[in-house]
Amino acid sequence: MASPVEQQAAQAGPPAPPSTSGFRRVLAGSMAGAVLEWYDFAIYGILAATVLGPLFFPGEGEIMKLLMALATQGIGFVARPLGGIVFGHLGDKFGRKPMLVTTFLLLGLSTAAIGLLPTYGQIGITATVLLVLLRLTQGFALGGEFGAAVLMVSEYGERRRRGFWASWPQAGAPMGTVLATSVVSVITLFVSDAAFDAWGWRLAFLVALPLLVIGFWLRRSVEESPVFQAAQARQETKAVTTRKRSSILDALSNPRQVLHGLGVRLGENIAFYIYTVFVIAYATTSFGYDRGDVVLAVTFASLFQFVGMLGGGRISDSVGRKPAMIVPSVILVAWAPLFFWLVQFESLPLLWLGVCVGAFFHGVLAGTEAAWITELFPTRHRFAGSSLVFQGSSIIAGAPAPFIAVWLIDRFGVASVIAYLVVTMAITVVAAATSRESRNSDLDAIE
């Protein structure tokens, strides 16, 4: 005879579909977190060279101050995989919602705290140490934040439209970049250069506070993922006497899904940083472009990336995840030599064309990835597996991509950067082509 717990689980059946208002709150809360995540990334990158280096890093040379500020930005990348491991395990054990709220609070508060830090001139090396610790906290929180946001939307959303809904948190990245650039531009319109360097830059970090309030209000009232609740109910019916091992180890014990995810993310990450970060240095140092013009082109291209992400998610619901990832990957391979050829004309319209086309098709690929990655893993270690893919790819592909590209072009010329992009995108094509098609899959039944 079945135990009372087993009878209760059997009577519960599959997870009930969430209400429309509940899903909208999940979507809005996840989107707010993604925007804040990339707002933080972009705002630090914008201000590292011009403000943070001189204010927080001692030294005689301006180049050394700049390098130290950029190195601190990279520290955030180092902490992201650790955050993914910790929050991935906790999210699979205790639920998605607690991680959604915790990571968001850590992220928003650490970002705002940078805007309140005393400078090196005021408290000495303590200011530098505090800035490094806050960057580590941001990176640690980001490691769990993005996985939690995408997972909640994917596990809440209707399976026939999961690709489209999951692409919304992904699309928070370009919106965060646009917001960061807009905030800095607005502040500089109302304060002088001297005032901006003295205190105006703090306002850019403190903008995280209203975003934090809105996002926290949305997220704290979100109910736990129905897919996770159903999995927990089934787990309670099992008379397990042995200690359950970490969901991270559970995900790594079946490495095929993790390797497929990392393979697809490899080229996608590198393409993003080539078309948005590296192009700024390449166009301004190798040719006669004004830095402000290139930054404006990259910012405008973020809108194309936003549209591409939502379009990619929507298309993947119709034609399947694999075609929606393979086609833009092949286009990005073909576009790489054309992109660098257009830049060499030193024509702003051609530069805009190159950057916007690259950003759009990158968006199509990245928008499809969000749902596909969550569909790779079963519920019992979906958070851990997704975090390994999202954050692991950032540290092995995204973070070093601009530095590798700069080194390649200095040593071997532009053809080597094209080859770098083509080879890594080819790996993405192979990883996508050899993966299973997961469109319209039942997340509750994946094993």
Side-chain angles (χ1 to χ4, degrees), residues 43 45 52 56 88-89 91 95 104 117 129 137 157 184 214 224 242 254 259 312 323 339 371 382 411 425 444:
I43 209 70
L52 300 181
F56 287 93
H89 170 66
F104 190 70
L117 278 181
V129 173
T137 303
V184 172
I214 295 170
E224 183 55 79
T242 58
N254 295 286
L259 291 175
F339 168 74
R382 181 170 296 128
R411 292 291 301 272
M425 287 306 307
D444 195 53

Side-chain angles (χ1 to χ4, degrees), residues 87-119:
F87 289 115
H89 170 66
L90 294 177
D92 285 323
K93 185 175 183 179
F94 298 110
R96 288 44 167 135
K97 178 185 174 179
M99 303 308 108
L100 199 70
V101 174
T102 302
T103 56
F104 190 70
L105 285 174
L106 280 175
L107 177 61
L109 291 175
S110 57
T111 301
I114 293 178
L116 299 174
L117 278 181
T119 64

Side-chain angles (χ1 to χ4, degrees), residues 217-230:
W217 175 74
L218 289 169
R219 289 186 170 193
R220 68 183 299 271
S221 57
V222 168
E223 296 182 2
E224 183 55 79
S225 156
V227 174
F228 177 79
Q229 290 179 348

Side-chain angles (χ1 to χ4, degrees), residues 157-202:
E158 181 186 5
R159 71 166 74 175
R160 292 178 299 174
R161 304 189 68 190
R162 186 184 300 131
F164 176 65
W165 294 126
S167 68
W168 278 91
Q170 191 85 306
M175 289 299 96
T177 301
V178 171
L179 179 61
T181 307
S182 301
V183 166
V184 172
S185 299
V186 169
I187 294 174
T188 55
L189 285 177
F190 290 95
V191 302
S192 65
D193 290 345
F196 185 86
D197 291 343
W199 56 266
W201 63 273
R202 297 182 182 276

